[in-house]
Amino acid sequence: MKEIGADSDGEGLRVCIVVAQWNAFVTHKLLDGAKSGLGERGVGADDITVAWVPGSFEVPAATRWAAESGRFDAVIAIGAVIKGETDHYEHIAGQAAAGIMETSQETGVPVAFGVLTCDTPEQALDRAGGGQGNKGDEAAEAAIQMARLRAQLA
């Protein structure tokens, strides 16, 4: 029996990080975690491209463009959707998740999900470098592992 996967060596990989500007007090911290995580795992600074979009609703379109460009081995989607007093939250969070998954499935390029969906700003900050770690770093590790797995399965 042969087992493959869980390779976190990012050396030589090219990664695009798509980041929502909305809730920048959270997304900047997630971006820092993603860049740090990529660097710690061997992805060179020149092999990282950061693409800014207005909000989490726009993240799936930009992840699609990056994936279809042929320039990247993996894409990381970063955003923060924080629940408010209306049902706007459910629409944005659901559409962002669906669009990101669809991009990965249809293009074959791994897209790591680093979009927080939280009830409060405090919960979001806790997951962006606070007591719950940094989900940007976790998305970086997932992106690398999936890019390596894709190459091994090809």
Side-chain angles (χ1 to χ4, degrees), residues 9-79:
D9 178 8
E11 186 174 351
L13 293 180
R14 297 162 301 147
V15 180
C16 181
I17 308 171
V18 176
V19 188
Q21 295 174 7
W22 191 259
N23 290 323
F25 70 100
V26 177
T27 61
H28 282 253
K29 292 176 183 297
L30 293 169
L31 173 60
D32 289 345
K35 290 190 301 187
S36 176
L38 290 171
E40 289 170 7
R41 293 172 180 91
V43 179
D46 290 341
D47 292 325
I48 300 170
T49 299
V50 177
W52 292 94
V53 297
S56 293
F57 190 76
E58 291 78 26
V59 168
T63 62
R64 171 72 63 127
W65 300 331
E68 289 179 341
S69 74
R71 295 175 41 211
F72 305 104
D73 300 296
V75 179
I76 300 171
I78 290 181

Side-chain angles (χ1 to χ4, degrees), residues 106-117:
E106 291 186 4
T107 66
V109 175
V111 182
F113 191 76
V115 178
L116 299 181
T117 55

